[in-house]
Amino acid sequence: MTVQLEKVTELVKAFNALPRREVVPSELGPNEWYFDLRYVQLEPNPCHIVTLIQPQSLFVHMERLPVGLPNDCSGIAFFPETGKEAAPEVAKALLHAFVNTLGKNEVVGSRAPFAPWKLYCDDEELRAEVGEELRRLGVHPSELCQIAETTLYTCVFVEAAFMRSFEELKKSLGYTGNAAAGLLVPESISFPSFTEPDTPRAIGNVSLFDLCLKYVQEIANSRPPNPDDFDSKAMAATMRQDVLNLRQRVEEMHEAIVKTEADRGDPEAAFDYGLRLFLGVGCAHSRPLSRVYLIKALSSPSASDKLKATAHGVLLKWYSQATKDGTLRNRYMFTGAHHANVATVISRRITPRGTPPAPAVLGFLDNVRECHSPSNGLPQLHLLYKDAMKAMDEKNKRAKSERERMQQKRLKNPLRYRCATLGCGVEADTGKMLSRCSGNCDSDKKPSYCTRECQKADWKNHKPFCRPGAECSVIDDGTTSPDTVMSAGSSSKQGSGTIQIPITYADGSRMFLSSSTMDPQLLKEIRDLSINKERPRGCPSSIKFEIERVEL
């Protein structure tokens, strides 16, 4: 019997009628139970669980969430970020366990359901919120709603008991051998440390146009690629029209209309509303609700594969932006990697052979690689998320091949692919992106420039050399980096027209910005805003930027 088939009031009534004693039915220990909330990352059906443990006997019981979730279904729909969000499901899981399961286990010496004498929990916020939820539901006696704090001594026994049960769970799902031995044991979730990041509106006044542009960019970054995505001119024209269409739709279809359609089961409307909520487009920003509707979209039987993959991709940003400091906690990493893996599988099914998954997928995996050391979860990705990690490996091979190709081109004609002006730093993956001096200097020694301003700035240096037979005027300032150039844009077609510029941070580390749609001046402005500042935590070695503004 599951909670889906019984009303919560009936569950509470059944729980309140259970016999309750100070010792467990076996009389071998106190009838006191520790509980916590954990995220079990094991594929193919990861989920959160409520763990109930009787410390003296080391008996462990797990309830998958949401309550009643079948073993062959994923539990990604439930992802609480606060104790208040978690409390309703956790409270139901506790009642469900005692009414339906624990009384039938011979380990605790019972053949009939029984109620606990006392409940413990180690997380302060979850303890308070679950107690309040039990009180709201009408659970009695009232002392069961006053959940006690766990002692350090008890926590030691609890962790030992859970580790043993987790090993059994891994074996039952086929995770064995040396690789499985390295799987991280799920930790008890602590809620007080959660701090929601600033929203676009909270950062400053953001116009509807700019929010619509972010909306369109998010879709372009998250959907399975198509050949037109590698044509920067075609993509810019399409994006411009998409922004105009979206702004008109937002003005005509107010929040209430979209929400009504989404609640009726329309997956396109659910996706639209979820992304609107996430960015605050035409409605108030709501991080929890945005995820609810994005999950509705990808879970709908009538949703297209393209929509499902795109929704999975958008959710990667949701997990990545969970905190102000950019920290990617383990359960966010694992759940995000699950979405990345599913998006990769769908993408391979609907795109031409050899097409990489969405930039959002590869970007998320890059972020994980930058943020996590090999001892902190990274090896598990290759075991749990094979499709996504294979796509990542293929991307890295393409990037390496492209770097080697570009290095060979530069060795043949190094002046053609970088701006000659001292301190500029702009490089390109094809000579057509830069203009050349039209003077009388030899063709193999002609300097190239990213803008007319750079050419004017370098004229004093180049003028004495602008004649036949003269030496090359280009000064090597040490910024050229052929081993890393264009690595951010390696998924684009070769020679597609990408420019790149380095940023040097206060600690001496460098990052490369690249784009096929932004002009050199704008990239240099971004660099100047970041130069000599602290490098953001988890910032990759290269980032590809596309259109940040569409001119109307």
Side-chain angles (χ1 to χ4, degrees):
M1 182 169 59
T2 66
V3 170
Q4 284 86 342
L5 301 178
E6 63 192 19
K7 297 179 181 179
V8 176
T9 52
E10 294 176 349
L11 182 63
V12 173
K13 183 178 180 181
F15 178 84
N16 288 339
L18 296 177
R20 178 171 171 263
R21 298 176 58 203
E22 289 191 53
V23 295
V24 293
S26 65
E27 299 188 354
L28 297 177
N31 187 16
E32 298 177 353
W33 295 81
Y34 165 92
F35 73 88
D36 62 28
L37 182 65
R38 302 176 189 239
Y39 180 77
V40 176
Q41 74 273 27
L42 302 180
E43 294 289 324
N45 299 308
C47 67
H48 286 80
I49 62 168
V50 167
T51 307
L52 265 167
I53 300 177
Q54 205 287 321
Q56 284 72 24
S57 65
L58 299 184
F59 172 77
V60 179
H61 173 73
M62 302 179 189
E63 287 275 337
R64 303 183 83 227
L65 301 180
V67 177
L69 180 72
N71 290 332
D72 59 351
C73 291
S74 166
I76 61 170
F78 179 72
F79 196 95
E81 295 194 279
T82 64
K84 189 172 185 178
E85 290 179 15
E89 281 298 326
V90 172
K92 284 190 291 185
L94 294 174
L95 302 181
H96 184 266
F98 282 101
V99 169
N100 295 283
T101 308
L102 291 179
K104 302 174 184 177
N105 196 290
E106 295 183 1
V107 175
V108 292
S110 176
R111 299 189 178 214
F114 62 94
W117 186 259
K118 196 170 187 178
L119 293 172
Y120 293 86
C121 179
D122 65 345
D123 183 73
E124 181 180 359
E125 183 175 334
L126 185 62
R127 188 165 64 238
E129 294 293 347
V130 171
E132 182 59 35
E133 179 67 13
L134 292 175
R135 189 177 294 106
R136 187 189 69 81
L137 291 174
V139 169
H140 63 76
S142 60
E143 52 261 34
L144 281 178
C145 303
Q146 299 171 0
I147 300 171
E149 182 179 358
T150 311
T151 64
L152 180 61
Y153 177 77
T154 299
C155 287
V156 173
F157 284 94
V158 163
E159 289 305 315
F162 183 81
M163 287 179 65
R164 184 186 64 185
S165 294
F166 185 64
E167 288 298 318
E168 295 173 356
L169 179 61
K170 287 194 297 183
K171 291 178 183 178
S172 69
L173 294 174
Y175 289 98
T176 58
N178 293 333
L183 287 170
L184 287 181
V185 178
E187 298 176 340
S188 172
I189 295 172
S190 177
F191 287 109
S193 58
F194 174 78
T195 53
E196 184 173 346
D198 291 328
T199 66
R201 290 189 183 277
I203 296 172
N205 294 325
V206 182
S207 68
L208 178 59
F209 176 86
D210 287 333
L211 289 172
C212 288
L213 179 56
K214 289 181 179 294
Y215 180 110
V216 171
Q217 287 176 323
E218 204 60 54
I219 291 179
N221 194 48
S222 304
R223 70 188 175 202
N226 62 65
D228 288 341
D229 291 335
F230 301 128
D231 185 337
S232 60
K233 292 183 179 179
M235 186 175 67
T238 301
M239 185 174 288
R240 175 184 180 277
Q241 191 57 50
D242 287 345
V243 172
L244 294 175
N245 293 341
L246 175 62
R247 185 168 66 176
Q248 181 178 354
R249 189 169 82 244
V250 170
E251 291 172 345
E252 294 176 352
M253 292 187 64
H254 295 166
E255 177 184 5
I257 299 174
V258 180
K259 182 180 184 301
T260 298
E261 293 182 359
D263 291 339
R264 287 175 178 171
D266 184 339
E268 294 282 351
F271 175 83
D272 180 26
Y273 190 43
L275 191 48
R276 288 194 193 192
L277 288 166
F278 184 49
L279 299 174
V281 181
C283 61
H285 163 80
S286 174
R287 178 176 169 83
L289 273 181
S290 67
R291 187 180 185 279
V292 168
Y293 281 93
L294 289 170
I295 291 291
K296 275 188 178 183
L298 64 85
S299 303
S300 172
S302 61
S304 66
D305 281 342
K306 183 177 180 180
L307 181 66
K308 291 178 180 179
T310 306
H312 281 291
V314 170
L315 281 166
L316 296 177
K317 176 69 73 67
W318 191 93
Y319 294 106
S320 299
Q321 295 184 345
T323 56
K324 292 181 179 180
D325 61 4
T327 302
L328 190 61
R329 298 187 179 92
N330 281 342
R331 71 174 178 131
Y332 288 82
M333 176 185 73
F334 288 130
T335 313
H338 171 83
H339 286 285
N341 202 63
V342 176
T344 300
V345 172
I346 297 174
S347 182
R348 283 183 171 167
R349 190 164 63 230
I350 63 177
T351 59
R353 184 180 179 87
T355 303
V361 172
L362 297 176
F364 178 84
L365 297 174
D366 257 336
N367 188 28
V368 169
R369 184 181 61 184
E370 292 285 339
C371 292
H372 288 263
S373 65
S375 62
N376 192 24
L378 193 55
Q380 300 184 73
L381 300 181
H382 291 273
L383 177 63
L384 297 171
Y385 316 107
K386 293 181 175 64
D387 292 282
M389 296 312 295
K390 181 179 179 181
M392 187 66 180
D393 291 340
E394 291 171 351
K395 176 254 187 184
N396 290 336
K397 288 180 182 178
R398 289 194 301 270
K400 182 180 179 181
S401 176
E402 178 67 5
R403 288 194 298 268
E404 292 173 350
R405 185 187 72 85
M406 290 308 303
Q407 186 172 4
Q408 290 300 316
K409 288 184 68 175
R410 282 177 170 76
L411 289 174
K412 294 179 181 178
N413 192 355
L415 304 182
R416 194 68 186 99
Y417 301 96
R418 63 167 300 200
C419 182
T421 302
L422 191 64
C424 173
V426 168
E427 300 179 2
D429 68 346
T430 176
K432 68 182 181 181
M433 298 298 292
L434 305 177
S435 60
R436 305 184 77 185
C437 175
S438 58
N440 296 322
C441 44
D442 296 339
S443 61
D444 63 335
K445 296 183 177 65
K446 284 184 179 293
S448 298
Y449 302 98
C450 64
T451 62
R452 185 178 296 274
E453 289 73 22
C454 272
Q455 186 168 4
K456 288 181 179 180
D458 189 56
W459 176 240
K460 184 177 180 180
N461 168 64
H462 177 61
K463 184 177 180 180
F465 301 89
C466 194
R467 55 185 173 80
E471 294 295 323
C472 177
S473 67
V474 178
I475 300 172
D476 184 4
D477 61 0
T479 60
T480 304
S481 185
D483 60 325
T484 58
V485 72
M486 299 301 117
S487 61
S490 59
S491 62
S492 301
K493 285 183 178 178
Q494 293 183 353
S496 62
T498 300
I499 56 175
Q500 171 177 280
I501 193 168
I503 293 178
T504 302
Y505 289 100
D507 61 359
S509 63
R510 297 170 75 190
M511 181 187 74
F512 288 83
L513 300 179
S514 69
S515 178
S516 60
T517 57
M518 297 168 66
D519 60 53
Q521 186 58 38
L522 187 51
L523 274 183
K524 284 190 277 189
E525 289 176 4
I526 296 175
R527 174 198 62 188
D528 293 343
L529 289 172
S530 305
I531 199 165
N532 292 329
K533 293 184 178 180
E534 291 188 8
R535 182 170 184 160
R537 182 174 181 177
C539 183
S541 59
S542 59
I543 296 179
K544 186 169 184 180
F545 280 89
E546 295 304 347
I547 297 173
E548 290 296 328
R549 185 77 184 179
V550 177
E551 297 297 335
L552 298 179

